[in-house]
Amino acid sequence: MKHDCARRPGGFSLLEMLVAIAIAAMTLIALYHASGGSVRAAAEVDRQTRAIIAAESLLALHQHVGPAGVRANGRFEDGMHWRVSSTPLQATSDGTVQRMQRIVVAVTWPQHNAHRQLQLVSLVPELAR
């Protein structure tokens, strides 16, 4: 004897649909957060690159420093601040004294309620008096 089982009509139940939508929503939220983090990271790399270029340019402007040294600061249009300062040094090489200046270039910029800073330090010859 054959029994006819009550067959469910094709398709998904309401519970199955709710579970599928919840899984899809969680996946989309995770993707949104991941892509947002990538955008923030790319923007930070861009700011760091611009800070490096600015600091290198400022250092190139001060290839020689007078005996009084240099003290300067300013602000770029994009909100980055810069500072250049130097201190005198004496270096000896082969018995001769070479007067040098230790020059520090600092570039700072705001990032997420804090400030980031990039510093370049170099030695440059001091101009004769």
Side-chain angles (χ1 to χ4, degrees):
M1 189 183 230
K2 209 175 204 187
H3 290 69
D4 283 327
C5 295
R7 291 182 50 97
R8 194 167 62 150
F12 298 105
S13 70
L14 180 59
L15 181 61
E16 290 170 329
M17 288 301 295
L18 289 174
V19 169
I21 290 172
I23 291 171
M26 286 188 284
T27 303
L28 289 174
I29 289 171
L31 286 173
Y32 175 76
H33 285 293
S35 67
S38 297
V39 170
R40 282 188 298 276
E44 180 55 26
V45 167
D46 179 59
R47 295 284 286 193
Q48 286 178 333
T49 302
R50 289 187 304 179
I52 291 168
I53 291 169
E56 287 176 341
S57 296
L58 288 165
L59 193 58
L61 288 174
H62 297 90
Q63 291 182 7
H64 297 89
V65 177
V70 63
R71 298 259 182 275
N73 60 50
R75 183 173 182 258
F76 295 110
E77 290 179 5
D78 63 357
M80 288 187 183
H81 294 269
W82 59 270
R83 183 183 75 248
V84 178
S85 61
S86 69
T87 54
L89 295 173
Q90 284 190 356
T92 56
S93 174
D94 299 331
T96 60
V97 175
Q98 173 84 30
R99 294 194 54 83
M100 307 286 286
Q101 290 276 337
R102 179 181 184 267
I103 188 164
V104 178
V105 176
V107 178
T108 60
W109 66 95
Q111 177 193 350
H112 307 297
N113 301 324
H115 280 81
R116 296 281 313 253
Q117 182 175 19
L118 170 84
Q119 250 186 10
L120 296 182
V121 180
S122 184
L123 291 177
V124 295
E126 185 175 287
L127 293 174
R129 296 178 186 194

